Structure formats: C-alpha cells, structure tokens
Amino acid sequence: MKSLKFSDIEEQTWDELRPYLDTAVLPVTGLNGGETPWEATRELEYLRDALDLIEIPFKGRIVTYPAMHFVRATGQESGSLLLDQVCEGLKKTGFRFVVIVTAKSEPEFGEGFLETEHADLVLRFTPEELRVSGSELKRQAAELMANLWNGSLT
C-alpha cells in the first residue's frame, strides 16, 4: 500500500480531502553537507524506514511533505527556527497537527532542536532502534499518534 504524499493531492481534490487529512508529516533528514553520496543515500534510507512506521498504517489521515535535509548545516538556533516556521506554515494551510519524523538521535541534532512551538509531536526512530525492535516501535508510533489525535498526548 502506497503512502499519501503531498504530490498525490491535486488542487481540485484538496477541499474534498482536507477534512480527513488533518496531519502533516515533516520528515527531517538532518544532513549537514559533509556527507559523501553514499552516506547521504544511507541517511535517506534510514528516514524512509522511520517513515514506514506511520505512513502506511495511517494512510488517509496523514500527508507526508518533502523532507528537510540540511537543517543541521544552518546552525542550532537558525535550523530550529526554520523548522518551526515550516511547521507553522503547514498549520496555516489547514493541518491541525504537524508531526516531525527523523532517524537521527537527539545528540546528533542537539538537545531540543526538533521540539518547536508548532510541531505537535516528534518521532525519532534511529536505525539501531529499528533494527532491534521494529515491531515494538511500530506499536509505540501507533500509540503516540492515537494519543495526539485523541488529545491525550503528554
């Protein structure tokens, strides 16, 4: 089953779909520009694996936007501000929720980098976690998404 991407939605169908698609997913690769081509490919594959945990089970409710790749290259404060501006923009287009998904650990970004005012949830699934406990992470992701939608996210 294919996930729903921003490019799958046509202008003519947006108003009809909008009530059902209340959650924007913003993938964040976290590249810094110093990666070799094969390292960049590997990071994109890790992000794809992390996205699979929510894209497929929640197709019809979420829309995945293009990934933000080089936010780490801009520096801690400006990168976090840029992420927040994008999340705010997604909400202004009508999304009730914005979820950031990454395959990077918090130390790789810096503490609090992804926790922005306008992001409702940050899901981190590192390659190591996916390798060791993929099915448990899928359950956790489903629980966190359900809590977000039910208003019980703490």
Side-chain angles (χ1 to χ4, degrees):
M1 177 184 283
K2 184 180 165 207
S3 60
L4 190 60
K5 306 282 189 204
F6 68 98
S7 58
D8 296 325
I9 300 171
E10 297 177 3
E11 183 179 358
Q12 304 87 324
T13 59
W14 175 236
D15 286 336
E16 181 184 328
L17 294 173
R18 187 182 231 160
Y20 307 102
L21 301 171
D22 66 351
T23 305
V25 173
L26 182 61
V28 178
T29 312
L31 301 176
N32 63 22
E35 296 83 8
T36 62
W38 67 267
E39 289 170 328
T41 300
R42 182 187 63 203
E43 294 302 319
L44 287 168
E45 289 169 349
Y46 291 158
L47 183 60
R48 176 207 57 211
D49 294 345
L51 285 166
D52 282 349
L53 295 177
I54 64 166
E55 280 186 323
I56 295 168
F58 300 115
K59 180 181 179 184
R61 180 133 191 206
I62 67 172
V63 177
T64 303
Y65 267 75
M68 295 189 67
H69 294 295
F70 294 97
V71 292
R72 286 180 49 215
T74 63
Q76 180 77 15
E77 190 174 318
S78 59
S80 190
L81 178 62
L82 176 61
L83 275 173
D84 191 52
Q85 289 171 343
V86 172
C87 291
E88 181 181 22
L90 290 170
K91 287 194 169 184
K92 285 180 179 176
T93 67
F95 289 101
R96 184 170 174 206
F97 305 103
V98 177
V99 176
I100 293 174
V101 177
T102 188
K104 294 273 189 201
S105 66
E106 187 165 19
E108 289 177 283
F109 274 114
E111 188 175 339
F113 184 85
L114 297 177
E115 284 76 21
T116 70
E117 178 184 349
H118 294 95
D120 299 290
L121 179 63
V122 175
L123 297 176
R124 296 174 189 275
F125 306 113
T126 66
E128 297 77 28
E129 292 170 329
L130 285 164
R131 195 170 27 259
V132 172
S133 57
S135 58
E136 174 60 20
L137 290 178
K138 194 173 196 174
R139 186 199 62 74
Q140 287 175 11
E143 184 178 316
L144 288 167
M145 295 298 288
N147 288 344
L148 173 67
W149 291 326
N150 294 327
S152 58
L153 193 64
T154 57

